[in-house]
PDB file of all heavy atoms in Angstrom:
ATOM      1  N   ARG K   3     -13.726 -27.953 -35.532  1.00  0.00           N
ATOM      2  CA  ARG K   3     -12.818 -29.082 -35.375  1.00  0.00           C
ATOM      3  C   ARG K   3     -13.391 -30.188 -34.505  1.00  0.00           C
ATOM      4  O   ARG K   3     -13.079 -31.351 -34.662  1.00  0.00           O
ATOM      5  CB  ARG K   3     -11.487 -28.600 -34.802  1.00  0.00           C
ATOM      6  CG  ARG K   3     -10.548 -28.150 -35.876  1.00  0.00           C
ATOM      7  CD  ARG K   3      -9.180 -28.009 -35.317  1.00  0.00           C
ATOM      8  NE  ARG K   3      -9.186 -27.049 -34.220  1.00  0.00           N
ATOM      9  CZ  ARG K   3      -8.464 -27.209 -33.121  1.00  0.00           C
ATOM     10  NH1 ARG K   3      -7.726 -28.266 -32.967  1.00  0.00           N
ATOM     11  NH2 ARG K   3      -8.494 -26.297 -32.170  1.00  0.00           N
ATOM     12  N   LYS K  13     -21.970 -33.551 -38.483  1.00  0.00           N
ATOM     13  CA  LYS K  13     -21.846 -32.288 -37.765  1.00  0.00           C
ATOM     14  C   LYS K  13     -23.021 -31.367 -38.093  1.00  0.00           C
ATOM     15  O   LYS K  13     -23.695 -30.849 -37.216  1.00  0.00           O
ATOM     16  CB  LYS K  13     -20.537 -31.613 -38.149  1.00  0.00           C
ATOM     17  CG  LYS K  13     -20.430 -30.193 -37.647  1.00  0.00           C
ATOM     18  CD  LYS K  13     -19.286 -29.495 -38.331  1.00  0.00           C
ATOM     19  CE  LYS K  13     -19.578 -28.012 -38.412  1.00  0.00           C
ATOM     20  NZ  LYS K  13     -18.673 -27.308 -39.262  1.00  0.00           N
ATOM     21  N   VAL K 196       8.315 -21.821   0.719  1.00  0.00           N
ATOM     22  CA  VAL K 196       7.955 -23.187   1.120  1.00  0.00           C
ATOM     23  C   VAL K 196       6.436 -23.379   1.070  1.00  0.00           C
ATOM     24  O   VAL K 196       5.933 -24.370   0.532  1.00  0.00           O
ATOM     25  CB  VAL K 196       8.516 -23.510   2.521  1.00  0.00           C
ATOM     26  CG1 VAL K 196       7.985 -24.852   3.020  1.00  0.00           C
ATOM     27  CG2 VAL K 196      10.043 -23.511   2.494  1.00  0.00           C
ATOM     28  N   LEU K 244      -6.568 -41.031 -10.211  1.00  0.00           N
ATOM     29  CA  LEU K 244      -7.232 -40.404  -9.061  1.00  0.00           C
ATOM     30  C   LEU K 244      -7.394 -38.905  -9.295  1.00  0.00           C
ATOM     31  O   LEU K 244      -8.439 -38.330  -8.977  1.00  0.00           O
ATOM     32  CB  LEU K 244      -6.417 -40.663  -7.785  1.00  0.00           C
ATOM     33  CG  LEU K 244      -6.537 -42.091  -7.238  1.00  0.00           C
ATOM     34  CD1 LEU K 244      -5.383 -42.407  -6.273  1.00  0.00           C
ATOM     35  CD2 LEU K 244      -7.877 -42.308  -6.539  1.00  0.00           C
ATOM     36  N   VAL K 268     -30.623 -49.805 -10.732  1.00  0.00           N
ATOM     37  CA  VAL K 268     -30.542 -48.966 -11.926  1.00  0.00           C
ATOM     38  C   VAL K 268     -29.710 -49.636 -13.019  1.00  0.00           C
ATOM     39  O   VAL K 268     -28.844 -50.462 -12.740  1.00  0.00           O
ATOM     40  CB  VAL K 268     -29.891 -47.593 -11.605  1.00  0.00           C
ATOM     41  CG1 VAL K 268     -30.824 -46.718 -10.794  1.00  0.00           C
ATOM     42  CG2 VAL K 268     -28.554 -47.761 -10.885  1.00  0.00           C
ATOM     43  N   PHE K 374     -16.405 -34.240 -25.308  1.00  0.00           N
ATOM     44  CA  PHE K 374     -17.693 -33.854 -24.731  1.00  0.00           C
ATOM     45  C   PHE K 374     -18.826 -34.070 -25.731  1.00  0.00           C
ATOM     46  O   PHE K 374     -19.921 -34.500 -25.379  1.00  0.00           O
ATOM     47  CB  PHE K 374     -17.687 -32.378 -24.299  1.00  0.00           C
ATOM     48  CG  PHE K 374     -19.078 -31.806 -24.246  1.00  0.00           C
ATOM     49  CD1 PHE K 374     -19.950 -32.176 -23.226  1.00  0.00           C
ATOM     50  CD2 PHE K 374     -19.549 -30.966 -25.247  1.00  0.00           C
ATOM     51  CE1 PHE K 374     -21.257 -31.697 -23.187  1.00  0.00           C
ATOM     52  CE2 PHE K 374     -20.847 -30.479 -25.229  1.00  0.00           C
ATOM     53  CZ  PHE K 374     -21.695 -30.848 -24.194  1.00  0.00           C
TER      54      PHE K 374
END
Side-chain angles (χ1 to χ4, degrees):
R3 273 194 301 141
K13 170 194 151 191
V196 172
L244 285 162
V268 288
F374 156 73

